[in-house]
Amino acid sequence: MIQPRKLTIDIWSDVMCPWCLVGWGNLKQALGQLDGELDADIRWHAFELNPDMPEEGEERTAHIARKYGRTIDQSKQVQGQMRQAAEQAGVSLDYEGDADPAPDAMMWNTFAAHRLLTWVIEVHGAEKQTELKLALFEAHFNQRRRIGEREVLLDVAEEVGLDREAAAAALDDEELARKTRVEERAAMEMNITGVPAMIVEGRFMIPGAQPPEAYVNALRRVAEKTAAVAEG
């Protein structure tokens, strides 16, 4: 029986980034199509869309309008396009919580969230890191929780089975902060200016949120190239 070829996929992304969630949904569909052919080891890396975001955050529609020079109506239209893309990718950007009226959709500073993700992969491995990453996406987009806040991050960590005290220690660990900054600098050194950005086998970049068939084709090409190199 032929064993699936293993590929490492490093994903630079931000938990504030709707296109990162769309990209994940499409990548997951692609990997489903490649089941039995390829086996992916996925690792997430830090990229802050808004590193200067203040502690109080910013309302999402106003943020998009300000950052990209759009009107409020144009900003709402962009968000509608994102929701359609998410639906096609099998993920959701819609509020699904219990509060009525729904809390404002906000943008937060995400450096602390990235520190947690850096800690999790070191201590618990890539699968647990992906679990936490998806939980943070859900907390932000679907539950509209204040994930710029320490206690909310610790709640999310605990909800995926992580030790709260250990997670709190990670948020205070300056060495983890340094490693997270190194990941962010690595993105700049690779000319990653937008996310998601996927680096396959440490060499081949797939930029942006691509449709599933684009990921299928790209991953197959990388697998063929790495196989040819391995065979000499």
Side-chain angles (χ1 to χ4, degrees), residues 36 75 80 153 208 228:
S75 177
L153 287 174

Side-chain angles (χ1 to χ4, degrees), residues 90-148:
V91 295
S92 173
L93 298 173
D94 293 331
Y95 177 67
E96 299 169 1
D98 297 327
D100 185 18
D104 287 340
M106 300 287 291
M107 303 294 288
W108 306 104
N109 187 293
T110 56
F111 185 68
H114 288 302
R115 287 172 77 162
L116 272 186
L117 290 162
T118 300
W119 164 69
V120 167
I121 194 169
E122 285 192 356
V123 177
H124 298 284
E127 288 187 11
K128 198 66 178 181
Q129 188 198 36
T130 292
E131 185 181 356
L132 177 61
K133 181 77 173 188
L134 298 182
L136 289 168
F137 277 141
E138 182 179 4
H140 174 58
F141 291 111
N142 308 129
Q143 300 168 352
R144 295 190 183 173
R145 294 160 75 179
R146 302 170 67 91
I147 65 168

Side-chain angles (χ1 to χ4, degrees), residues 17-186:
C17 170
W19 292 115
C20 294
L21 181 57
V22 171
W24 163 256
N26 286 337
L27 176 64
K28 188 176 179 181
Q29 289 184 26
L31 293 174
Q33 294 179 41
L34 294 167
D35 186 36
E37 182 179 344
L38 298 177
D39 185 12
D41 178 20
I42 295 170
R43 304 178 300 201
W44 300 87
H45 300 278
F47 188 100
E48 291 181 84
L49 286 173
N50 302 289
D52 299 322
M53 180 64 68
E55 184 177 342
E56 64 271 19
E58 185 177 10
E59 194 276 328
R60 185 172 64 196
T61 301
H63 170 79
I64 293 172
R66 177 187 61 79
K67 183 173 182 178
Y68 300 104
R70 297 186 171 102
T71 67
I72 294 297
D73 285 343
Q74 288 171 331
S75 177
K76 290 179 178 178
Q77 183 178 8
V78 168
Q79 291 178 74
Q81 293 168 348
M82 290 176 182
R83 285 194 295 271
Q84 290 178 356
E87 185 177 352
Q88 292 175 349
V91 295
S92 173
L93 298 173
D94 293 331
Y95 177 67
E96 299 169 1
D98 297 327
D100 185 18
D104 287 340
M106 300 287 291
M107 303 294 288
W108 306 104
N109 187 293
T110 56
F111 185 68
H114 288 302
R115 287 172 77 162
L116 272 186
L117 290 162
T118 300
W119 164 69
V120 167
I121 194 169
E122 285 192 356
V123 177
H124 298 284
E127 288 187 11
K128 198 66 178 181
Q129 188 198 36
T130 292
E131 185 181 356
L132 177 61
K133 181 77 173 188
L134 298 182
L136 289 168
F137 277 141
E138 182 179 4
H140 174 58
F141 291 111
N142 308 129
Q143 300 168 352
R144 295 190 183 173
R145 294 160 75 179
R146 302 170 67 91
I147 65 168
E149 295 184 359
R150 178 187 181 91
E151 291 305 310
V152 174
L153 287 174
L154 294 178
D155 287 344
V156 176
E158 197 169 23
E159 286 160 14
V160 298
L162 296 168
D163 181 81
R164 190 183 188 92
E165 291 186 4
L171 289 178
D172 294 329
D173 189 332
E174 289 305 315
E175 177 61 15
L176 279 172
R178 185 194 67 80
K179 290 178 180 179
T180 304
R181 293 296 186 203
V182 167
E183 288 191 351
E184 293 181 334
R185 287 196 295 273

